[in-house]
Amino acid sequence: MQLPSVLPAVSALLVLIGCASAQPRPASQLGEARDPARASVRLSAPEEHAYEQEFFPGTTYDAALPAPASILGFELGAQPASHAQVLACWRAWAAKSPRVKLEPYGHTHEGRELVHGVVTSEKNLRELDAILARIDKLADPRKLAAGEEERIRATTPAVAWLGYSIHGDEMSGVDGGLALAHHLIAGTSSDVTELLEKLVIVIDPMQNPDGRERFLALLLQAAGATPVLDGEALSHGRWPNGRGNHYLFDMNRDWIAGTAPETRARWKAVQRFHPQLFVDAHEMGRDDSYLFYPQADPINPHLPRQLVEWQTRYAADIAKAFDAHGWSYYTREWADGWGPFYTDSWSSLNGAIGILYEQARYDGQTVELESGEIATYRSAAHHQAEASLANLRTLAAAREEALAHYAEFRRLATFGDGSLERPWFVVRKGPHAARFQRLLAVLAEQGIEYALAPSAKLRNALDSFGGVSAEHSTDDEVAVISALQPQGALVRAYLEFDTRYPKADLERERRELELKGNSKIYDSTAWNLGHAFGLECWWAQSVDGAGAASAALPAAASAGISAAPAGAPVYGWIVDGMDDGSVKFAAQALQAGLALSLADEPFESAGRRFARGSLLVRAHENKGDVAAKVESVARVAGVQAFAAASARAPGEGHDLGGQHFELLERPRIAMLSNAPVANTSFGQLWHTLDFELGLPVSLLDAQDLGGYDLRRYNVLVLPPAGGIASVLEPHLDALRAWVEGGGTLIAIGSSAGALARESLGLSSVRRREDVLAKLPEYLFAAQRERAARSIAIDEQLVWSGVPASAPTADGKPAESKPPSSALAVDPDAEREERWRQRFAPQGAFLRAHVREDLWLTVGAGAQLPVFFDGSLSLWSRAPATTAVRFSAAPDLRLSGLLWPEARERLAESAYATVERRGAGQVILFASEPGFRGFHPATGRLFRNAVVYGPGAGANPPRLR
Ligand SMILES: [Zn+2]
């Protein structure tokens, strides 16, 4: 028996799992470019610490179906299996076993295939379509005939979906899943065959191939020839690691919005099977054991009412299985059930019982733990397989009950219990065709039904800014979504404006913060798509004008070029600036070498009114077939360009040949990458510019900033990066010179906080803690902006010096007085400030006011819901301009948890600022715009900053 030379201890283990032939396959047969058997370096797995416990003792196997080791060329769990190796196993099994159907369901950004394997009895597999058709009726109770549900429950297998390693660097799930798959496919004893009669098991063997392959490559690059047991060592990964997909999106938080192609493919695949059990296997810190659900409080109110009860039943069988081995584990201590965007919560909102596992992570290697215990990667895979098998046993034993629970959940979602005050969600398209289209696609792909109506009259309507009207009419297109439909739980969980923490959980959180400064909150406390998209929307008691529900998407806005008036010459082409597609039009037009300009005010032309931020391509400023170029770019951007016959703008707007159209400059973009840059934020911003806008982005290494000639770029983006000040400090002179020479420097979150330090000399914006004594001066600036938003002239005061309104005690009109609480700077202010920072929001929507006379804010209305995360409170006054400023304390919070201390720190602080420095500018965002790729309302500001910044806010050298 030929064995890999790096794993001499394997031969004994192969016998244990009953593998008849373990001839390693040549790497080329697996689609691998390397042969692990011939490598002189390897991931740390010293032979003396081999893990010798048998997986699934007592089961007999069909020797005709190869065990994983004989396909991989190494013992399962001796090192992490690659994507090609996992596919090779599944393909080998699918070719030989009548119990398996291997189905591709999508591709990753890097082109790797996503597959799932359906494993069940031969009979069930033959009848799979009929089984799924029956469960589909349970999923949509409107399709059920009388008595049909009971018949289906009695005769139909339950469905389990097992998903592994959605975080690519949490590796053991994949190998545990592979062991389990072989067990289920090749097992011949009754412990396996009886499971397969009662269950249809869908295994998603590797949810994040791009992340796993990236992490494997990092591990391998750091691997040595001598085993290292040190878990802290470099051989356990480095920036950007493997958690996210290609663009580093955390796909365990992507289920709400499907920014990743993997998520969108998975939405479709899962909905075909309507699972009753959904497992999502992860890893956690190294010196830990094994966590599984029931989950921690609080539980999102839209999740199934019996969720925790069911999770507790599943947990009992995992506990029994683990106790039989003497393994450590725990439940409920963390991973709360509040955010509805996780894999397990999405599946539970679909009616499954979602279960999370967290295995201690060893990064595919053998490590020495703090206790001195040696932990092997193979043991981690064993835990994952054992937990999944226990869950399958629970489901098989409770098959009919699980189907009944599923049917009951879907029935309640569809028909309700009469308790909803406002069961209708209505969203208006308004000027945001692209955003509206995207929102509806996100909902439709998750199986949510909606209807389009040309207008609607709403009763008892609550809008997204908290206003309530007894009656509200819209006279243009809306989408109407009922909360009572088969996916009604998702509708409510994702669209409800302000799901509030239960009081008991608030008290517990407060106690933790007061005593320990630790938050128990696992993730963001706000997420609703209405605020994230910044579209006008309502929850209403009733809606007139909505037709029958339909899942048809609205036709995409017509893209291309409008015909010029017959016989008239064309002066130019105009694209309206409200729709987000206009920024892509500008980006692509600049790339194509077109000269174009940005309007700073609304105007009329071509028989239409155009918003500020509209784009003008003048014929005489461009060469060649301009119409053809404009048309081609407009199609790529999905927008309509309107031909104008004249430079004259009728009405009050400015003429097209004048000074209210700023010539744009092609952005030449650099973005900082590598440590200490926050990788998920970096990935999101990179995805926006590269994937969505189609702009080339040069990724600079933060560790070698001095090695670049910044003059090649006119935009430099600093994503959030803790500790970036020390990275920038050696290069401050060069950075300042670059900005003053015309550069647009954009800093976000903690990077904005670093730039706000006086010592860096790059911005006049300051962090709150640095200007406590001067807060009244900053508040005065906020107050002047507020006054400018609602101009009220007292003519008597102007002409005669006597105010018409009664003066207050101090002789000033009451409205000009800043809020007293914010003015009080007591001697202990610094200590107070540090204390208040402890209560920073972990993701909340805050109301912000927009300066509507700035290029940076085109496409935004007067108010903006801003997703805010963290403790940075930025304060600005002249010479910096505050483009977006948070509201005053009383109406600041829109959604999510905002403690009073945080409310006070953030009220009237700056979200987005722009400041001229020489020929260039510095733009700061206090929190990440476009967070997680599904916040187009704030994402628009970032797009404006990058695409319009070099032309509209700076004077870089014009390079043609
Ligand atoms: Zn994870």
Side-chain angles (χ1 to χ4, degrees), residues 99-144:
R99 292 181 188 171
V100 189
K101 196 171 178 202
L102 184 65
E103 297 177 318
Y105 70 87
H107 283 90
T108 68
H109 276 297
E110 294 177 14
R112 295 193 176 86
E113 195 168 43
L114 296 166
V115 300
H116 56 67
V118 184
V119 183
T120 184
S121 71
E122 201 175 334
K123 175 173 175 289
N124 286 342
L125 200 58
R126 272 199 314 271
E127 296 169 5
L128 185 63
D129 289 344
I131 290 170
L132 295 183
R134 294 206 292 275
I135 298 186
D136 190 58
K137 288 188 174 179
L138 299 186
D140 185 352
R142 296 168 304 188
K143 297 176 183 165
L144 281 168

Side-chain angles (χ1 to χ4, degrees), residues 278-294:
F278 198 112
V279 163
D280 188 35
H282 290 249
E283 288 185 346
M284 56 182 168
R286 183 175 58 251
D287 280 291
D288 212 321
S289 61
Y290 199 90
L291 170 101
F292 47 87
Y293 279 178

Side-chain angles (χ1 to χ4, degrees), residues 6 95 158 385 482 541 664:
V6 291
S482 171
Q541 188 174 348
L664 293 176

Side-chain angles (χ1 to χ4, degrees), residues 264-394:
R264 295 171 91 100
R266 216 165 273 137
W267 276 344
K268 194 173 172 199
V270 178
Q271 288 181 77
R272 195 179 130 225
F273 286 91
H274 301 300
Q276 284 71 58
L277 165 68
F278 198 112
V279 163
D280 188 35
H282 290 249
E283 288 185 346
M284 56 182 168
R286 183 175 58 251
D287 280 291
D288 212 321
S289 61
Y290 199 90
L291 170 101
F292 47 87
Y293 279 178
Q295 55 203 127
D297 285 335
I299 309 288
N300 188 287
H302 305 302
L303 290 169
R305 287 173 192 171
Q306 289 90 26
L307 179 65
V308 172
E309 200 178 299
W310 274 97
Q311 288 172 342
T312 306
R313 285 172 72 168
Y314 281 106
D317 285 339
I318 304 183
K320 207 161 94 186
F322 276 39
D323 284 343
H325 292 280
W327 296 338
S328 285
Y329 59 85
Y330 60 105
T331 60
R332 294 165 303 176
E333 289 184 26
W334 51 275
D336 67 43
W338 193 244
F341 35 73
Y342 306 114
T343 312
D344 68 81
S345 41
W346 183 88
S347 74
S348 297
L349 289 165
N350 277 264
I353 301 301
I355 291 177
L356 171 97
Y357 309 152
E358 296 277 357
Q359 156 68 38
R361 65 183 288 175
Y362 312 137
D363 297 334
Q365 301 171 74
T366 301
V367 294
E368 182 173 8
L369 305 179
E370 277 179 1
S371 63
E373 181 184 353
I374 302 293
T376 63
Y377 180 65
R378 185 170 155 85
S379 74
H382 192 185
H383 301 159
Q384 301 277 27
E386 195 73 56
S388 295
L389 184 60
N391 285 162
L392 294 178
R393 286 197 204 104
T394 312

Side-chain angles (χ1 to χ4, degrees), residues 256 300 302-303 340 349 487-496 499 527-529 539:
I256 186 172
N300 188 287
H302 305 302
L303 290 169
L349 289 165
Q487 290 290 56
L490 271 186
V491 170
R492 294 165 67 191
Y494 288 177
L495 296 172
E496 195 171 82
T499 310
W527 50 78
N528 79 85
L529 295 172
W539 278 97

Side-chain angles (χ1 to χ4, degrees), residues 166-167 170 243 252-253 281-283 356 358:
I166 198 165
H167 293 146
E170 300 174 5
R243 182 180 180 87
N252 192 33
R253 276 120 177 113
H282 290 249
E283 288 185 346
L356 171 97
E358 296 277 357

